[in-house]
Each structure stands twice: as structure tokens, then as C-alpha cells.
Amino acid sequence: MMMNIVYRKDTLYVYVVDEIDCDLIEKMERQIGKILERYKIDNLVLDVKEKNNELIEQFCRKHNVKYRKKILVR
């Protein structure tokens, strides 16, 4: 599972290289959750190949409820 996480100017960028599956979503939830709880981050940008993937949509809904911030998926 390959993804890169970069922080720049109050924005956390997550670049997902691999195809989206349940394992990748769980890994993203853990890693992003730890970062967001530790640091004040205003924006989250998810760069994925499969923008209309149901797992990504579920991840975004779950994130919005927990952190009250929207995710930009590109």
C-alpha cells in the first residue's frame, strides 16, 4: 500500500498511489487521524486515482462527522 502524506501551509496532502481497498482506507484513517489530533490542520486534500470510489466517499463522510472539516478530493 503506497501513499504519501505531505504538510504544507495549514494543509495536509495525501497522495494515494495504489488502488483503493479496505486495508488502505483503514491505514489512512489511522495515520490521518493521528496527525489531525496532534496538529492544527485547516485543510485536507486527498489525491486519488479513483475519485468516485465508494470507500473514498465513506471515508470522507466519516471524516466530516468526526473532524467537522471537508475533504477536497482531486
Side-chain angles (χ1 to χ4, degrees):
M1 289 177 270
M2 183 66 162
M3 77 176 147
N4 296 315
I5 299 175
V6 178
Y7 175 75
R8 247 184 268 142
K9 297 183 183 179
D10 298 326
T11 301
L12 188 67
Y13 296 91
V14 180
Y15 301 96
V16 179
V17 179
D18 291 338
E19 289 188 33
I20 306 299
D21 62 11
C22 291
D23 292 334
L24 181 65
I25 293 294
E26 288 176 16
K27 182 178 177 182
M28 276 186 2
E29 286 177 354
R30 281 193 311 271
Q31 289 184 344
I32 292 170
K34 287 178 185 177
I35 293 168
L36 293 178
E37 289 172 11
R38 178 173 256 177
Y39 304 102
K40 183 183 182 307
I41 295 176
D42 294 330
N43 304 303
L44 178 60
V45 176
L46 217 67
D47 192 350
V48 295
K49 293 177 185 176
E50 306 169 48
K51 293 169 187 42
N52 294 325
N53 185 302
E54 179 62 32
L55 293 172
I56 290 294
E57 291 175 14
Q58 289 175 357
F59 171 80
C60 291
R61 282 192 300 269
K62 196 173 185 180
H63 175 84
N64 290 341
V65 168
K66 186 170 185 176
Y67 298 104
R68 304 272 184 212
K69 294 184 181 182
K70 295 240 178 194
I71 299 175
L72 174 62
V73 178
R74 59 179 186 168

